[in-house]
Amino acid sequence: MRRKLIPLFIFFCLFPAFFLSAEDIIISDMQMTVLPRDVFVGDEMEIRCTFSCDKALLPEGSLSESLTPGEIKDMTVLGITLQSAGSSYVLSMLCIPWNLGVLDIPPVLISEHSGDEETAVYLDVSDITVKSIVGYTGASELRPAKAPLLIPGTTWIIYILSILGIVILVVIVVILVRFPSFKNKVQKVVSSAIIVKNYYSLRFQLRRLVKSRKPVSDKRFAYIVSHILREYISCRFFYNFRSETPKGIVLAFNQISCGLFSVEAGEAVQMISELLSRCDYIRFSGDEGEKGSLSTDERARICEAAIDAASCLEKDDYDAKV
């Protein structure tokens, strides 16, 4: 009798160890997120589950693994990825639902080999609710067709024009580099355009100053005229006249021209010097008497004299440069 009880005693002693080896893997701290929050039929969505596990679910040295997607009713599974995130795991499932309402997702197989034991591990995923875009927006009719943003064939035209623009730019650069004479002509044309623009800018600003209906004080008027004249002659002769005194301007002209200016140009320079002297007197003398005040007629004469002097300098044949 005792011999018969010994095998039974050994079986019951080993019975707890038998079930301990087949113990299920514990999954905790399960959090599920659906992106986007509102899921509609036919839209791609992501089901992201973050959880902790007491066993290693990924092979040693691996941080992520692509899982074989199973078939889910009313849903197309594009891919499933299991990633390690520190002490937790993240299961990402990309799928497209094709039916409305609550969709039941069966447990997802996330690991067939857990540690040293061949144990299949499944993750329970909560149901998701799929909405209807018609019910969400309240639209019951199809919207009318819209015209295309680009006329068919326009894209190729844009590409061709872009390539032609680049080619023309490269050709211009090559010509400027290899043909110095052409480069000099281009520089001369650009310089002439700047000079012409400078002269017409002086005329426009002075005439607008005379016709301005906004009240301008004498000091402000004198400052504007002085500034316009100094900017004009500095740009015209490529010399900084902005800090020169009225008498110093005449001396500077004689120096940069070496006496090659015509008599008319010399008189124009003398006129500019006198206008600047008058403007400086108005600005700094503090005299509000007869000599200090500017009448409407005198303002007009100052502006016209400045324009005449500039016109005389533009007609002179000698182009003085430093």
Side-chain angles (χ1 to χ4, degrees), residues 175-209:
I175 292 175
L176 292 177
V177 172
R178 294 194 174 184
F179 301 95
S181 59
F182 181 81
K183 179 180 178 181
N184 294 334
K185 290 181 180 179
V186 171
Q187 290 179 347
K188 187 174 182 179
V189 171
V190 173
S191 177
S192 299
I194 293 174
I195 291 174
V196 172
K197 178 180 179 297
N198 183 46
Y199 168 69
Y200 282 102
S201 176
L202 174 133
R203 286 182 52 183
F204 173 77
Q205 294 182 70
L206 290 178
R207 289 179 177 174
R208 186 179 63 174
L209 181 62

PDB file of all heavy atoms in Angstrom, residues 175-209:
ATOM      1  N   ILE A 175      29.188  84.897 -70.491  1.00  0.00           N
ATOM      2  CA  ILE A 175      29.542  86.031 -71.351  1.00  0.00           C
ATOM      3  C   ILE A 175      30.229  87.119 -70.537  1.00  0.00           C
ATOM      4  O   ILE A 175      31.237  87.711 -70.974  1.00  0.00           O
ATOM      5  CB  ILE A 175      28.283  86.577 -72.045  1.00  0.00           C
ATOM      6  CG1 ILE A 175      27.760  85.554 -73.062  1.00  0.00           C
ATOM      7  CG2 ILE A 175      28.576  87.902 -72.741  1.00  0.00           C
ATOM      8  CD1 ILE A 175      26.453  85.957 -73.701  1.00  0.00           C
ATOM      9  N   LEU A 176      29.721  87.395 -69.341  1.00  0.00           N
ATOM     10  CA  LEU A 176      30.329  88.441 -68.517  1.00  0.00           C
ATOM     11  C   LEU A 176      31.747  88.072 -68.083  1.00  0.00           C
ATOM     12  O   LEU A 176      32.610  88.939 -67.939  1.00  0.00           O
ATOM     13  CB  LEU A 176      29.448  88.697 -67.281  1.00  0.00           C
ATOM     14  CG  LEU A 176      28.080  89.344 -67.546  1.00  0.00           C
ATOM     15  CD1 LEU A 176      27.300  89.465 -66.246  1.00  0.00           C
ATOM     16  CD2 LEU A 176      28.247  90.724 -68.181  1.00  0.00           C
ATOM     17  N   VAL A 177      31.974  86.770 -67.878  1.00  0.00           N
ATOM     18  CA  VAL A 177      33.292  86.334 -67.408  1.00  0.00           C
ATOM     19  C   VAL A 177      34.298  86.288 -68.565  1.00  0.00           C
ATOM     20  O   VAL A 177      35.453  86.712 -68.415  1.00  0.00           O
ATOM     21  CB  VAL A 177      33.175  84.958 -66.723  1.00  0.00           C
ATOM     22  CG1 VAL A 177      34.565  84.394 -66.414  1.00  0.00           C
ATOM     23  CG2 VAL A 177      32.356  85.073 -65.453  1.00  0.00           C
ATOM     24  N   ARG A 178      33.872  85.808 -69.731  1.00  0.00           N
ATOM     25  CA  ARG A 178      34.810  85.582 -70.836  1.00  0.00           C
ATOM     26  C   ARG A 178      34.971  86.777 -71.769  1.00  0.00           C
ATOM     27  O   ARG A 178      35.919  86.828 -72.540  1.00  0.00           O
ATOM     28  CB  ARG A 178      34.359  84.367 -71.644  1.00  0.00           C
ATOM     29  CG  ARG A 178      34.438  83.064 -70.854  1.00  0.00           C
ATOM     30  CD  ARG A 178      34.325  81.872 -71.776  1.00  0.00           C
ATOM     31  NE  ARG A 178      34.528  80.616 -71.069  1.00  0.00           N
ATOM     32  CZ  ARG A 178      34.565  79.417 -71.654  1.00  0.00           C
ATOM     33  NH1 ARG A 178      34.412  79.345 -72.981  1.00  0.00           N
ATOM     34  NH2 ARG A 178      34.755  78.319 -70.950  1.00  0.00           N
ATOM     35  N   PHE A 179      34.049  87.709 -71.735  1.00  0.00           N
ATOM     36  CA  PHE A 179      34.132  88.858 -72.633  1.00  0.00           C
ATOM     37  C   PHE A 179      34.126  90.145 -71.812  1.00  0.00           C
ATOM     38  O   PHE A 179      33.064  90.700 -71.508  1.00  0.00           O
ATOM     39  CB  PHE A 179      32.970  88.854 -73.623  1.00  0.00           C
ATOM     40  CG  PHE A 179      32.911  87.612 -74.477  1.00  0.00           C
ATOM     41  CD1 PHE A 179      32.104  86.547 -74.114  1.00  0.00           C
ATOM     42  CD2 PHE A 179      33.675  87.514 -75.626  1.00  0.00           C
ATOM     43  CE1 PHE A 179      32.044  85.412 -74.903  1.00  0.00           C
ATOM     44  CE2 PHE A 179      33.619  86.374 -76.417  1.00  0.00           C
ATOM     45  CZ  PHE A 179      32.807  85.318 -76.055  1.00  0.00           C
ATOM     46  N   PRO A 180      35.330  90.629 -71.433  1.00  0.00           N
ATOM     47  CA  PRO A 180      35.416  91.839 -70.595  1.00  0.00           C
ATOM     48  C   PRO A 180      34.798  93.062 -71.264  1.00  0.00           C
ATOM     49  O   PRO A 180      34.220  93.912 -70.581  1.00  0.00           O
ATOM     50  CB  PRO A 180      36.929  92.015 -70.396  1.00  0.00           C
ATOM     51  CG  PRO A 180      37.514  90.666 -70.658  1.00  0.00           C
ATOM     52  CD  PRO A 180      36.645  90.040 -71.694  1.00  0.00           C
ATOM     53  N   SER A 181      34.905  93.188 -72.601  1.00  0.00           N
ATOM     54  CA  SER A 181      34.338  94.358 -73.275  1.00  0.00           C
ATOM     55  C   SER A 181      32.821  94.399 -73.105  1.00  0.00           C
ATOM     56  O   SER A 181      32.228  95.456 -72.865  1.00  0.00           O
ATOM     57  CB  SER A 181      34.698  94.329 -74.765  1.00  0.00           C
ATOM     58  OG  SER A 181      34.210  93.146 -75.381  1.00  0.00           O
ATOM     59  N   PHE A 182      32.193  93.232 -73.228  1.00  0.00           N
ATOM     60  CA  PHE A 182      30.743  93.175 -73.019  1.00  0.00           C
ATOM     61  C   PHE A 182      30.394  93.521 -71.577  1.00  0.00           C
ATOM     62  O   PHE A 182      29.402  94.196 -71.305  1.00  0.00           O
ATOM     63  CB  PHE A 182      30.241  91.776 -73.372  1.00  0.00           C
ATOM     64  CG  PHE A 182      28.761  91.607 -73.208  1.00  0.00           C
ATOM     65  CD1 PHE A 182      27.885  92.050 -74.189  1.00  0.00           C
ATOM     66  CD2 PHE A 182      28.241  91.009 -72.074  1.00  0.00           C
ATOM     67  CE1 PHE A 182      26.519  91.890 -74.041  1.00  0.00           C
ATOM     68  CE2 PHE A 182      26.882  90.851 -71.921  1.00  0.00           C
ATOM     69  CZ  PHE A 182      26.014  91.294 -72.903  1.00  0.00           C
ATOM     70  N   LYS A 183      31.226  93.043 -70.663  1.00  0.00           N
ATOM     71  CA  LYS A 183      31.012  93.347 -69.258  1.00  0.00           C
ATOM     72  C   LYS A 183      31.108  94.852 -69.007  1.00  0.00           C
ATOM     73  O   LYS A 183      30.300  95.428 -68.261  1.00  0.00           O
ATOM     74  CB  LYS A 183      32.041  92.599 -68.399  1.00  0.00           C
ATOM     75  CG  LYS A 183      31.920  92.857 -66.918  1.00  0.00           C
ATOM     76  CD  LYS A 183      32.970  92.065 -66.158  1.00  0.00           C
ATOM     77  CE  LYS A 183      32.884  92.361 -64.662  1.00  0.00           C
ATOM     78  NZ  LYS A 183      33.924  91.616 -63.912  1.00  0.00           N
ATOM     79  N   ASN A 184      32.086  95.492 -69.642  1.00  0.00           N
ATOM     80  CA  ASN A 184      32.240  96.940 -69.470  1.00  0.00           C
ATOM     81  C   ASN A 184      31.037  97.698 -70.041  1.00  0.00           C
ATOM     82  O   ASN A 184      30.587  98.699 -69.461  1.00  0.00           O
ATOM     83  CB  ASN A 184      33.525  97.407 -70.155  1.00  0.00           C
ATOM     84  CG  ASN A 184      34.759  96.842 -69.485  1.00  0.00           C
ATOM     85  OD1 ASN A 184      34.733  96.524 -68.293  1.00  0.00           O
ATOM     86  ND2 ASN A 184      35.841  96.706 -70.224  1.00  0.00           N
ATOM     87  N   LYS A 185      30.521  97.209 -71.179  1.00  0.00           N
ATOM     88  CA  LYS A 185      29.349  97.855 -71.751  1.00  0.00           C
ATOM     89  C   LYS A 185      28.142  97.718 -70.831  1.00  0.00           C
ATOM     90  O   LYS A 185      27.363  98.658 -70.656  1.00  0.00           O
ATOM     91  CB  LYS A 185      29.042  97.248 -73.125  1.00  0.00           C
ATOM     92  CG  LYS A 185      30.057  97.603 -74.192  1.00  0.00           C
ATOM     93  CD  LYS A 185      29.673  96.991 -75.532  1.00  0.00           C
ATOM     94  CE  LYS A 185      30.697  97.356 -76.618  1.00  0.00           C
ATOM     95  NZ  LYS A 185      30.343  96.750 -77.924  1.00  0.00           N
ATOM     96  N   VAL A 186      27.986  96.548 -70.259  1.00  0.00           N
ATOM     97  CA  VAL A 186      26.867  96.340 -69.333  1.00  0.00           C
ATOM     98  C   VAL A 186      26.994  97.259 -68.124  1.00  0.00           C
ATOM     99  O   VAL A 186      26.023  97.877 -67.676  1.00  0.00           O
ATOM    100  CB  VAL A 186      26.805  94.861 -68.892  1.00  0.00           C
ATOM    101  CG1 VAL A 186      25.792  94.663 -67.779  1.00  0.00           C
ATOM    102  CG2 VAL A 186      26.459  93.966 -70.078  1.00  0.00           C
ATOM    103  N   GLN A 187      28.219  97.361 -67.584  1.00  0.00           N
ATOM    104  CA  GLN A 187      28.434  98.244 -66.442  1.00  0.00           C
ATOM    105  C   GLN A 187      28.152  99.702 -66.807  1.00  0.00           C
ATOM    106  O   GLN A 187      27.588 100.455 -66.002  1.00  0.00           O
ATOM    107  CB  GLN A 187      29.869  98.091 -65.940  1.00  0.00           C
ATOM    108  CG  GLN A 187      30.137  96.754 -65.268  1.00  0.00           C
ATOM    109  CD  GLN A 187      31.574  96.628 -64.802  1.00  0.00           C
ATOM    110  OE1 GLN A 187      32.441  97.432 -65.187  1.00  0.00           O
ATOM    111  NE2 GLN A 187      31.856  95.631 -63.986  1.00  0.00           N
ATOM    112  N   LYS A 188      28.520 100.091 -68.012  1.00  0.00           N
ATOM    113  CA  LYS A 188      28.285 101.471 -68.437  1.00  0.00           C
ATOM    114  C   LYS A 188      26.791 101.753 -68.576  1.00  0.00           C
ATOM    115  O   LYS A 188      26.306 102.821 -68.188  1.00  0.00           O
ATOM    116  CB  LYS A 188      28.997 101.725 -69.769  1.00  0.00           C
ATOM    117  CG  LYS A 188      28.961 103.178 -70.198  1.00  0.00           C
ATOM    118  CD  LYS A 188      29.791 103.407 -71.441  1.00  0.00           C
ATOM    119  CE  LYS A 188      29.776 104.890 -71.843  1.00  0.00           C
ATOM    120  NZ  LYS A 188      30.600 105.130 -73.054  1.00  0.00           N
ATOM    121  N   VAL A 189      26.057 100.770 -69.136  1.00  0.00           N
ATOM    122  CA  VAL A 189      24.609 100.942 -69.272  1.00  0.00           C
ATOM    123  C   VAL A 189      23.948 101.037 -67.905  1.00  0.00           C
ATOM    124  O   VAL A 189      23.076 101.893 -67.661  1.00  0.00           O
ATOM    125  CB  VAL A 189      24.018  99.780 -70.089  1.00  0.00           C
ATOM    126  CG1 VAL A 189      22.496  99.808 -70.052  1.00  0.00           C
ATOM    127  CG2 VAL A 189      24.503  99.835 -71.524  1.00  0.00           C
ATOM    128  N   VAL A 190      24.366 100.184 -66.989  1.00  0.00           N
ATOM    129  CA  VAL A 190      23.794 100.214 -65.638  1.00  0.00           C
ATOM    130  C   VAL A 190      24.125 101.530 -64.948  1.00  0.00           C
ATOM    131  O   VAL A 190      23.267 102.143 -64.288  1.00  0.00           O
ATOM    132  CB  VAL A 190      24.315  99.015 -64.821  1.00  0.00           C
ATOM    133  CG1 VAL A 190      23.880  99.127 -63.365  1.00  0.00           C
ATOM    134  CG2 VAL A 190      23.822  97.709 -65.419  1.00  0.00           C
ATOM    135  N   SER A 191      25.381 101.989 -65.090  1.00  0.00           N
ATOM    136  CA  SER A 191      25.789 103.255 -64.487  1.00  0.00           C
ATOM    137  C   SER A 191      24.987 104.428 -65.055  1.00  0.00           C
ATOM    138  O   SER A 191      24.542 105.317 -64.313  1.00  0.00           O
ATOM    139  CB  SER A 191      27.282 103.469 -64.709  1.00  0.00           C
ATOM    140  OG  SER A 191      27.691 104.718 -64.183  1.00  0.00           O
ATOM    141  N   SER A 192      24.780 104.422 -66.384  1.00  0.00           N
ATOM    142  CA  SER A 192      23.996 105.494 -67.005  1.00  0.00           C
ATOM    143  C   SER A 192      22.555 105.481 -66.515  1.00  0.00           C
ATOM    144  O   SER A 192      21.955 106.535 -66.272  1.00  0.00           O
ATOM    145  CB  SER A 192      24.030 105.345 -68.523  1.00  0.00           C
ATOM    146  OG  SER A 192      25.352 105.430 -69.007  1.00  0.00           O
ATOM    147  N   ALA A 193      21.995 104.279 -66.355  1.00  0.00           N
ATOM    148  CA  ALA A 193      20.622 104.173 -65.861  1.00  0.00           C
ATOM    149  C   ALA A 193      20.509 104.728 -64.441  1.00  0.00           C
ATOM    150  O   ALA A 193      19.536 105.409 -64.092  1.00  0.00           O
ATOM    151  CB  ALA A 193      20.172 102.716 -65.909  1.00  0.00           C
ATOM    152  N   ILE A 194      21.516 104.467 -63.614  1.00  0.00           N
ATOM    153  CA  ILE A 194      21.502 104.981 -62.238  1.00  0.00           C
ATOM    154  C   ILE A 194      21.590 106.505 -62.239  1.00  0.00           C
ATOM    155  O   ILE A 194      20.899 107.191 -61.470  1.00  0.00           O
ATOM    156  CB  ILE A 194      22.664 104.354 -61.440  1.00  0.00           C
ATOM    157  CG1 ILE A 194      22.432 102.849 -61.262  1.00  0.00           C
ATOM    158  CG2 ILE A 194      22.810 105.037 -60.086  1.00  0.00           C
ATOM    159  CD1 ILE A 194      23.587 102.128 -60.610  1.00  0.00           C
ATOM    160  N   ILE A 195      22.436 107.058 -63.110  1.00  0.00           N
ATOM    161  CA  ILE A 195      22.594 108.522 -63.182  1.00  0.00           C
ATOM    162  C   ILE A 195      21.294 109.187 -63.634  1.00  0.00           C
ATOM    163  O   ILE A 195      20.862 110.199 -63.070  1.00  0.00           O
ATOM    164  CB  ILE A 195      23.759 108.870 -64.128  1.00  0.00           C
ATOM    165  CG1 ILE A 195      25.089 108.452 -63.496  1.00  0.00           C
ATOM    166  CG2 ILE A 195      23.770 110.360 -64.442  1.00  0.00           C
ATOM    167  CD1 ILE A 195      26.285 108.627 -64.405  1.00  0.00           C
ATOM    168  N   VAL A 196      20.667 108.624 -64.667  1.00  0.00           N
ATOM    169  CA  VAL A 196      19.404 109.191 -65.152  1.00  0.00           C
ATOM    170  C   VAL A 196      18.330 109.115 -64.069  1.00  0.00           C
ATOM    171  O   VAL A 196      17.581 110.079 -63.836  1.00  0.00           O
ATOM    172  CB  VAL A 196      18.945 108.449 -66.425  1.00  0.00           C
ATOM    173  CG1 VAL A 196      17.543 108.880 -66.831  1.00  0.00           C
ATOM    174  CG2 VAL A 196      19.923 108.705 -67.559  1.00  0.00           C
ATOM    175  N   LYS A 197      18.253 107.989 -63.407  1.00  0.00           N
ATOM    176  CA  LYS A 197      17.270 107.841 -62.328  1.00  0.00           C
ATOM    177  C   LYS A 197      17.542 108.832 -61.201  1.00  0.00           C
ATOM    178  O   LYS A 197      16.614 109.412 -60.608  1.00  0.00           O
ATOM    179  CB  LYS A 197      17.316 106.410 -61.789  1.00  0.00           C
ATOM    180  CG  LYS A 197      16.356 106.143 -60.631  1.00  0.00           C
ATOM    181  CD  LYS A 197      16.475 104.717 -60.158  1.00  0.00           C
ATOM    182  CE  LYS A 197      15.542 104.462 -58.982  1.00  0.00           C
ATOM    183  NZ  LYS A 197      15.871 105.274 -57.801  1.00  0.00           N
ATOM    184  N   ASN A 198      18.822 109.072 -60.919  1.00  0.00           N
ATOM    185  CA  ASN A 198      19.194 110.013 -59.868  1.00  0.00           C
ATOM    186  C   ASN A 198      18.732 111.436 -60.204  1.00  0.00           C
ATOM    187  O   ASN A 198      18.204 112.159 -59.356  1.00  0.00           O
ATOM    188  CB  ASN A 198      20.714 109.974 -59.689  1.00  0.00           C
ATOM    189  CG  ASN A 198      21.186 110.872 -58.565  1.00  0.00           C
ATOM    190  OD1 ASN A 198      20.629 110.879 -57.479  1.00  0.00           O
ATOM    191  ND2 ASN A 198      22.228 111.645 -58.841  1.00  0.00           N
ATOM    192  N   TYR A 199      18.889 111.836 -61.471  1.00  0.00           N
ATOM    193  CA  TYR A 199      18.483 113.184 -61.889  1.00  0.00           C
ATOM    194  C   TYR A 199      16.966 113.357 -61.813  1.00  0.00           C
ATOM    195  O   TYR A 199      16.457 114.343 -61.274  1.00  0.00           O
ATOM    196  CB  TYR A 199      18.980 113.453 -63.305  1.00  0.00           C
ATOM    197  CG  TYR A 199      18.378 114.681 -63.935  1.00  0.00           C
ATOM    198  CD1 TYR A 199      18.690 115.966 -63.466  1.00  0.00           C
ATOM    199  CD2 TYR A 199      17.485 114.566 -64.998  1.00  0.00           C
ATOM    200  CE1 TYR A 199      18.119 117.092 -64.044  1.00  0.00           C
ATOM    201  CE2 TYR A 199      16.921 115.694 -65.583  1.00  0.00           C
ATOM    202  CZ  TYR A 199      17.245 116.950 -65.099  1.00  0.00           C
ATOM    203  OH  TYR A 199      16.677 118.067 -65.660  1.00  0.00           O
ATOM    204  N   TYR A 200      16.225 112.396 -62.345  1.00  0.00           N
ATOM    205  CA  TYR A 200      14.767 112.502 -62.328  1.00  0.00           C
ATOM    206  C   TYR A 200      14.210 112.385 -60.908  1.00  0.00           C
ATOM    207  O   TYR A 200      13.154 112.945 -60.600  1.00  0.00           O
ATOM    208  CB  TYR A 200      14.152 111.444 -63.233  1.00  0.00           C
ATOM    209  CG  TYR A 200      14.232 111.812 -64.689  1.00  0.00           C
ATOM    210  CD1 TYR A 200      15.195 111.249 -65.519  1.00  0.00           C
ATOM    211  CD2 TYR A 200      13.357 112.745 -65.236  1.00  0.00           C
ATOM    212  CE1 TYR A 200      15.279 111.601 -66.856  1.00  0.00           C
ATOM    213  CE2 TYR A 200      13.435 113.113 -66.584  1.00  0.00           C
ATOM    214  CZ  TYR A 200      14.400 112.530 -67.384  1.00  0.00           C
ATOM    215  OH  TYR A 200      14.480 112.891 -68.710  1.00  0.00           O
ATOM    216  N   SER A 201      14.911 111.681 -60.049  1.00  0.00           N
ATOM    217  CA  SER A 201      14.493 111.625 -58.644  1.00  0.00           C
ATOM    218  C   SER A 201      14.629 112.996 -57.985  1.00  0.00           C
ATOM    219  O   SER A 201      13.753 113.421 -57.216  1.00  0.00           O
ATOM    220  CB  SER A 201      15.341 110.591 -57.895  1.00  0.00           C
ATOM    221  OG  SER A 201      15.027 110.588 -56.521  1.00  0.00           O
ATOM    222  N   LEU A 202      15.720 113.729 -58.297  1.00  0.00           N
ATOM    223  CA  LEU A 202      15.890 115.084 -57.768  1.00  0.00           C
ATOM    224  C   LEU A 202      14.760 115.995 -58.256  1.00  0.00           C
ATOM    225  O   LEU A 202      14.163 116.746 -57.474  1.00  0.00           O
ATOM    226  CB  LEU A 202      17.253 115.638 -58.193  1.00  0.00           C
ATOM    227  CG  LEU A 202      17.513 117.109 -57.840  1.00  0.00           C
ATOM    228  CD1 LEU A 202      18.888 117.273 -57.213  1.00  0.00           C
ATOM    229  CD2 LEU A 202      17.427 117.996 -59.091  1.00  0.00           C
ATOM    230  N   ARG A 203      14.465 115.969 -59.543  1.00  0.00           N
ATOM    231  CA  ARG A 203      13.390 116.807 -60.093  1.00  0.00           C
ATOM    232  C   ARG A 203      12.054 116.496 -59.430  1.00  0.00           C
ATOM    233  O   ARG A 203      11.309 117.411 -59.040  1.00  0.00           O
ATOM    234  CB  ARG A 203      13.268 116.578 -61.601  1.00  0.00           C
ATOM    235  CG  ARG A 203      14.378 117.204 -62.413  1.00  0.00           C
ATOM    236  CD  ARG A 203      14.156 116.967 -63.892  1.00  0.00           C
ATOM    237  NE  ARG A 203      12.814 117.384 -64.308  1.00  0.00           N
ATOM    238  CZ  ARG A 203      12.355 117.234 -65.549  1.00  0.00           C
ATOM    239  NH1 ARG A 203      13.117 116.655 -66.483  1.00  0.00           N
ATOM    240  NH2 ARG A 203      11.146 117.641 -65.864  1.00  0.00           N
ATOM    241  N   PHE A 204      11.751 115.216 -59.291  1.00  0.00           N
ATOM    242  CA  PHE A 204      10.463 114.819 -58.727  1.00  0.00           C
ATOM    243  C   PHE A 204      10.339 115.262 -57.266  1.00  0.00           C
ATOM    244  O   PHE A 204       9.304 115.805 -56.863  1.00  0.00           O
ATOM    245  CB  PHE A 204      10.323 113.301 -58.843  1.00  0.00           C
ATOM    246  CG  PHE A 204       9.101 112.757 -58.150  1.00  0.00           C
ATOM    247  CD1 PHE A 204       7.851 112.891 -58.724  1.00  0.00           C
ATOM    248  CD2 PHE A 204       9.208 112.122 -56.920  1.00  0.00           C
ATOM    249  CE1 PHE A 204       6.718 112.394 -58.085  1.00  0.00           C
ATOM    250  CE2 PHE A 204       8.089 111.632 -56.271  1.00  0.00           C
ATOM    251  CZ  PHE A 204       6.834 111.762 -56.864  1.00  0.00           C
ATOM    252  N   GLN A 205      11.392 115.062 -56.473  1.00  0.00           N
ATOM    253  CA  GLN A 205      11.313 115.389 -55.052  1.00  0.00           C
ATOM    254  C   GLN A 205      11.212 116.902 -54.824  1.00  0.00           C
ATOM    255  O   GLN A 205      10.437 117.362 -53.967  1.00  0.00           O
ATOM    256  CB  GLN A 205      12.541 114.826 -54.320  1.00  0.00           C
ATOM    257  CG  GLN A 205      12.605 113.314 -54.290  1.00  0.00           C
ATOM    258  CD  GLN A 205      13.797 112.811 -53.520  1.00  0.00           C
ATOM    259  OE1 GLN A 205      13.861 112.936 -52.282  1.00  0.00           O
ATOM    260  NE2 GLN A 205      14.778 112.239 -54.217  1.00  0.00           N
ATOM    261  N   LEU A 206      11.977 117.694 -55.590  1.00  0.00           N
ATOM    262  CA  LEU A 206      11.938 119.143 -55.395  1.00  0.00           C
ATOM    263  C   LEU A 206      10.591 119.726 -55.831  1.00  0.00           C
ATOM    264  O   LEU A 206      10.028 120.607 -55.146  1.00  0.00           O
ATOM    265  CB  LEU A 206      13.079 119.810 -56.165  1.00  0.00           C
ATOM    266  CG  LEU A 206      14.486 119.549 -55.612  1.00  0.00           C
ATOM    267  CD1 LEU A 206      15.538 120.210 -56.488  1.00  0.00           C
ATOM    268  CD2 LEU A 206      14.619 120.041 -54.172  1.00  0.00           C
ATOM    269  N   ARG A 207      10.055 119.280 -56.939  1.00  0.00           N
ATOM    270  CA  ARG A 207       8.762 119.807 -57.398  1.00  0.00           C
ATOM    271  C   ARG A 207       7.628 119.356 -56.477  1.00  0.00           C
ATOM    272  O   ARG A 207       6.673 120.100 -56.254  1.00  0.00           O
ATOM    273  CB  ARG A 207       8.510 119.363 -58.832  1.00  0.00           C
ATOM    274  CG  ARG A 207       9.430 120.086 -59.815  1.00  0.00           C
ATOM    275  CD  ARG A 207       9.220 119.652 -61.236  1.00  0.00           C
ATOM    276  NE  ARG A 207      10.079 120.428 -62.141  1.00  0.00           N
ATOM    277  CZ  ARG A 207      10.196 120.200 -63.446  1.00  0.00           C
ATOM    278  NH1 ARG A 207       9.523 119.209 -64.009  1.00  0.00           N
ATOM    279  NH2 ARG A 207      11.000 120.960 -64.176  1.00  0.00           N
ATOM    280  N   ARG A 208       7.738 118.161 -55.950  1.00  0.00           N
ATOM    281  CA  ARG A 208       6.714 117.727 -55.004  1.00  0.00           C
ATOM    282  C   ARG A 208       6.803 118.533 -53.712  1.00  0.00           C
ATOM    283  O   ARG A 208       5.789 118.823 -53.074  1.00  0.00           O
ATOM    284  CB  ARG A 208       6.896 116.233 -54.697  1.00  0.00           C
ATOM    285  CG  ARG A 208       5.790 115.656 -53.819  1.00  0.00           C
ATOM    286  CD  ARG A 208       5.993 114.193 -53.551  1.00  0.00           C
ATOM    287  NE  ARG A 208       7.219 113.941 -52.818  1.00  0.00           N
ATOM    288  CZ  ARG A 208       7.579 112.734 -52.360  1.00  0.00           C
ATOM    289  NH1 ARG A 208       6.807 111.678 -52.616  1.00  0.00           N
ATOM    290  NH2 ARG A 208       8.703 112.570 -51.715  1.00  0.00           N
ATOM    291  N   LEU A 209       8.031 118.919 -53.328  1.00  0.00           N
ATOM    292  CA  LEU A 209       8.212 119.734 -52.128  1.00  0.00           C
ATOM    293  C   LEU A 209       7.573 121.110 -52.294  1.00  0.00           C
ATOM    294  O   LEU A 209       6.960 121.639 -51.357  1.00  0.00           O
ATOM    295  CB  LEU A 209       9.713 119.867 -51.820  1.00  0.00           C
ATOM    296  CG  LEU A 209      10.093 120.669 -50.575  1.00  0.00           C
ATOM    297  CD1 LEU A 209       9.538 120.014 -49.320  1.00  0.00           C
ATOM    298  CD2 LEU A 209      11.616 120.803 -50.472  1.00  0.00           C
TER     299      LEU A 209
END
